[in-house]
Amino acid sequence: MPPFRIRALGEIAIRCDDLGKMANFYEEILGLQRMSGSAAAGIVFFRIADGFQGHTQILALFDKATSGRPGLHPTGADAPKTGAKSSLHHIALNVPYDEQEAVMDWYERHNLPCRVEHFGWVGWRGVFTEDPEGNTVELVAFRADLKDPTT
């Protein structure tokens, strides 16, 4: 065992082909709060929730065309793919169970397809859709009576 323990998720970062469309989706469709400050050009930060010891949990969107960093993945043809060709399977954000119906209605009003999955072994229900670049986004909730008592 390492001599430390992870306490929270700090951030999720996604490289984007169209930063404007992606930022609009996460701000206008999912309602994440855009953070202001001294972020570099080509990067948009969204607040997800309070984090651990002052580090806010965030979603960071990086414009593939302007946010290459030496020593990491270069921009261009070698940059990671988004959507189904990405190594990112999905991101999951928590919502209260009693708001999931409103999520599905909201997606329908915005012509966004969604699907619902139940995970009885942990008592979760997920509402899934895709962002503009094909990344799967799950809004997940726990409810005790969804937990399968046999697991």
Side-chain angles (χ1 to χ4, degrees), residues 28-50:
E28 300 298 325
I29 299 299
L30 294 188
L32 293 180
Q33 176 186 0
R34 189 183 294 232
M35 296 173 69
S36 61
S38 61
I43 304 172
V44 178
F45 292 98
F46 292 97
R47 180 186 186 283
I48 295 174
D50 292 339

Side-chain angles (χ1 to χ4, degrees), residues 16-81:
C16 306
D17 286 320
D18 189 328
L19 184 61
K21 281 184 182 177
M22 292 286 281
N24 185 63
F25 173 84
Y26 286 97
E27 185 170 25
E28 300 298 325
I29 299 299
L30 294 188
L32 293 180
Q33 176 186 0
R34 189 183 294 232
M35 296 173 69
S36 61
S38 61
I43 304 172
V44 178
F45 292 98
F46 292 97
R47 180 186 186 283
I48 295 174
D50 292 339
F52 179 72
Q53 293 188 335
H55 186 290
T56 304
Q57 293 181 25
I58 65 168
L59 169 69
L61 302 179
F62 287 72
D63 185 338
K64 281 184 187 175
T66 62
S67 63
R69 299 170 97 188
L72 298 177
H73 298 286
T75 58
D78 293 332
K81 302 288 185 201

